[in-house]
């Protein structure tokens, strides 16, 4: 695990941010408390971070802070989504979903005049997977079922959507700790998608 972590000193050197900035972002909830990991070293207690997540988060903060306040950024990174509601035309105008994927979704769920954030997130994830070419339309129905059945579980900071395939047979599941999963030989993990990352991406588009 140590290879996946970066020390506070190395993080500050690599990103050219200050100690004050780092902890101001922490106080504003731009960086989760549980990403600050205290570990014993030969020099005493030091703070480490999940390297990939921290570098990605800092890059996002730096690229967006000119246009958004820290409070707006905190809201974007927060699991809370507020009372977002859009109609189908607004979804298309904002390029959140293509018409073909929207039509597929409506054919599956019936006529929907107003989309909540939960449904918009389902659409956004479905669009991402179908456009990648990793899944087909029939498999898309499976993804929608899992997202619909386990939306609350998906709000966990570590939740991931996994899509696997073996001998042409597909399966989709929601997991909270992908590292602890083990599959039988011959199983191919087609997609590993962070729900939190998708939520942040969608919020940035909505803002």
């Amino acid at each position: 695990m140590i290879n996946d972590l970066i020390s506070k000193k190395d993080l500050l050197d690599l990103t050219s941010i200050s100690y004050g900035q780092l902890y101001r972002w922490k106080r504003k909830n731009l960086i989760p408390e549980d990403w600050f990991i205290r570990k014993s070293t030969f020099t005493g207690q030091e703070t480490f971070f999940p390297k990939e997540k921290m570098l990605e988060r800092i890059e996002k903060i730096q690229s967006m802070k000119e246009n958004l306040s820290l409070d707006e950024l905190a809201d974007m990174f927060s699991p809370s989504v507020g009372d977002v509601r859009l109609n189908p035309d607004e979804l298309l105008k904002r390029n959140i979903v293509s018409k073909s994927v929207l039509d597929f979704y409506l054919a599956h769920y019936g006529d929907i005049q107003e989309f909540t954030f939960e449904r918009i997130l389902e659409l956004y994830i479905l669009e991402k997977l179908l456009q990648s070419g990793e899944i087909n339309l029939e498999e898309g129905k499976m993804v929608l079922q899992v997202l619909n059945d386990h939306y609350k579980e998906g709000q966990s900071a570590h939740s991931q959507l996994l899509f696997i395939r073996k001998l042409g047979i597909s399966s989709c599941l929601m997991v909270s700790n992908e590292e602890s999963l083990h599959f039988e030989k011959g199983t191919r993990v087609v997609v590993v998608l962070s729900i939190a990352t998708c939520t942040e991406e969608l919020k940035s588009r909505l803002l």
Side-chain angles (χ1 to χ4, degrees), residues 130-149:
L130 288 173
Q131 292 295 344
S132 74
E134 296 288 3
I135 69 169
N136 58 41
L137 289 174
E138 279 303 308
E139 292 170 333
K141 294 178 182 178
M142 191 187 309
V143 169
L144 289 177
Q145 190 66 54
V146 170
L147 290 172
N148 190 261
D149 289 347

Side-chain angles (χ1 to χ4, degrees), residues 69-84:
S69 69
L70 292 185
D71 288 335
E72 287 172 325
L73 283 171
D75 182 61
M76 189 184 77
F77 294 135
S78 165
S80 173
V81 296
D83 188 26
V84 176

Side-chain angles (χ1 to χ4, degrees), residues 138-186:
E138 279 303 308
E139 292 170 333
K141 294 178 182 178
M142 191 187 309
V143 169
L144 289 177
Q145 190 66 54
V146 170
L147 290 172
N148 190 261
D149 289 347
H150 302 286
Y151 179 75
K152 289 185 179 179
E153 292 90 333
Q155 297 311 292
S156 163
H158 305 291
S159 290
Q160 293 178 310
L161 185 76
L162 263 68
F163 197 90
I164 61 176
R165 192 176 289 131
K166 181 179 181 182
L167 300 176
I169 299 175
S170 305
S171 186
C172 183
L173 56 156
M174 184 87 71
V175 298
S176 58
N177 183 7
E178 183 260 338
E179 291 181 357
S180 66
L181 292 177
H182 303 280
F183 301 103
E184 62 180 316
K185 188 176 180 181

Side-chain angles (χ1 to χ4, degrees), residues 84-143:
V84 176
R85 293 180 183 275
L86 297 176
N87 63 43
D89 286 341
E90 290 173 316
L91 292 172
L92 294 173
K93 287 178 182 177
R94 294 183 184 221
N95 294 318
I96 291 170
V97 65
S98 62
K99 189 175 187 308
S100 59
V101 173
L102 178 61
D103 288 344
F104 172 76
Y105 187 94
L106 293 175
H108 183 68
Y109 281 116
D111 188 33
I112 301 172
Q113 296 301 316
E114 194 174 59
F115 286 78
T116 62
F117 186 88
E118 177 180 345
R119 286 192 176 275
I120 299 171
L121 181 61
E122 289 176 358
L123 268 172
Y124 181 75
I125 291 173
L126 180 64
E127 175 81 18
K128 182 185 285 281
L129 293 178
L130 288 173
Q131 292 295 344
S132 74
E134 296 288 3
I135 69 169
N136 58 41
L137 289 174
E138 279 303 308
E139 292 170 333
K141 294 178 182 178
M142 191 187 309
V143 169

Side-chain angles (χ1 to χ4, degrees), residues 34-49:
D34 60 3
W35 288 10
F36 289 71
I37 302 166
R38 298 286 291 173
K39 294 179 69 70
S40 296
T41 66
F42 66 92
T43 58
Q45 286 280 321
E46 290 189 29
T47 301
F48 291 82
F49 304 90

